[in-house]
Amino acid sequence: MEKLVSYPISVIYYLLFGLTLLIFHPIQWVCFNVFGYQAHKKSVDYLNLFLVGCTNFVGTTYKFKGVKGIPTNVPLIFVCNHQSMYDIIAMIWFLRRFHVKFVSKKELGSGIPSVSYNLTHGGSVLIDRKEPKQAIPAIKGLSEYIQKYNRSAVIFPEGTRSKTGHPKPFAQSGLKILCKYAPDAYVIPVSINNSWKMVKFGFFPVGLGNRLTFAIHEPLKVSDYSFEEISEKAESAVVKGIKI
């Protein structure tokens, strides 16, 4: 029944979603090219506020737990499970004061209004998952960037999203590079729940009435642990916080 009801609602939803992307694309361009980084960031923040608003139209709600425990004025590495694109939209808006940047697949870097522009101009990095060697300098550059400016990187160590909510094994290479070249950083494990239900029917129609939760766990100071300890503690915290 939910799927049947969702068809007409999803048509309106995707029209609103697509229109938002189209409107904010030139706004981003002007902000970036005329006014610089801070203006561009503001435009991206409000883009994602409007995208969150679009998801509210289909009954989606969001709850972030533990935000007050996130250290400030230091580089951060958010380590999260990955369930859908809505993970990213929510984190950009609700964690906007931390200037979050993403390690994303290169396919997202072209052809998508607003999204591709932000990924290629906003400080995130694009990697080719078929060329692991190319990813090393890209992630290294992101590490040095967050170290220098006290900003944040978001990494999904599963490599691809889970279609059922069940976590996949975490790869270590990307996180290891981030920790190595951002030695002042804190690793912040985050457990994401119910985002996969937004796309449980595929791209169309969209799932209705879902409550997305983001549980932010105890920060791990990179300099206080070996990489093996950080990797194990981060994965354990994320997995334990996933509710199926």
Side-chain angles (χ1 to χ4, degrees):
M1 178 60 71
E2 178 191 346
K3 188 174 183 180
L4 184 63
V5 171
S6 180
Y7 275 106
I9 296 173
S10 295
V11 171
I12 300 171
Y13 164 73
Y14 277 117
L15 285 173
L16 293 172
F17 196 96
L19 184 61
T20 300
L21 295 181
L22 289 172
I23 290 172
F24 272 91
H25 191 91
I27 292 173
Q28 276 195 72
W29 188 95
V30 171
C31 288
F32 181 81
N33 289 282
V34 178
F35 301 106
Y37 173 82
Q38 291 295 342
H40 177 243
K41 182 194 176 298
K42 282 289 185 184
S43 72
V44 172
D45 289 346
Y46 283 104
L47 160 66
N48 285 276
L49 170 62
F50 276 79
L51 294 178
V52 165
C54 291
T55 66
N56 294 155
F57 176 76
V58 294
T60 305
T61 61
Y62 300 85
K63 184 172 184 179
F64 278 70
K65 305 174 183 178
V67 174
K68 291 182 179 179
I70 301 175
T72 57
N73 300 315
V74 293
L76 302 173
I77 303 168
F78 290 98
V79 178
C80 322
N81 60 309
H82 191 23
Q83 296 188 347
S84 78
M85 70 173 180
Y86 300 100
D87 305 339
I88 297 169
I89 293 168
M91 294 186 78
I92 292 175
W93 172 245
F94 290 101
L95 300 178
R96 59 193 178 278
R97 68 189 176 103
F98 300 106
H99 294 247
V100 294
K101 314 301 176 185
F102 293 85
V103 178
S104 301
K105 58 184 181 180
K106 73 169 188 177
E107 290 83 358
L108 298 178
S110 61
I112 308 173
S114 286
V115 173
S116 297
Y117 193 88
N118 179 43
L119 288 174
T120 53
H121 294 83
S124 296
V125 296
L126 299 166
I127 62 173
D128 186 347
R129 290 184 293 186
K130 297 177 182 178
E131 296 289 343
K133 290 183 179 180
Q134 173 269 336
I136 295 173
I139 298 174
K140 177 177 179 287
L142 179 59
S143 325
E144 294 168 340
Y145 173 83
I146 66 169
Q147 172 74 17
K148 180 177 180 180
Y149 294 105
N150 285 338
R151 290 175 183 160
S152 306
V154 178
I155 188 168
F156 302 111
E158 292 166 295
T160 186
R161 66 182 179 87
S162 168
K163 296 180 181 180
T164 61
H166 292 275
K168 299 179 179 181
F170 281 22
Q172 296 185 355
S173 55
L175 178 59
K176 189 171 186 178
I177 296 169
L178 287 170
C179 290
K180 180 177 180 180
Y181 294 101
D184 295 333
Y186 285 75
V187 169
I188 314 293
V190 182
S191 301
I192 300 173
N193 286 292
N194 297 327
S195 175
W196 69 274
K197 294 179 181 178
M198 294 286 290
V199 289
K200 62 186 176 182
F201 303 127
F203 178 77
F204 187 89
V206 68
L208 302 178
N210 294 298
R211 187 185 187 203
L212 278 57
T213 64
F214 295 72
I216 297 165
H217 304 291
E218 182 180 354
L220 303 167
K221 190 174 182 181
V222 168
S223 59
D224 286 350
Y225 302 93
S226 68
F227 173 73
E228 289 72 22
E229 290 174 315
I230 284 183
S231 178
E232 188 278 328
K233 287 177 178 291
E235 182 171 2
S236 176
V238 172
V239 171
K240 286 180 181 178
I242 297 172
K243 312 297 182 185
I244 305 301

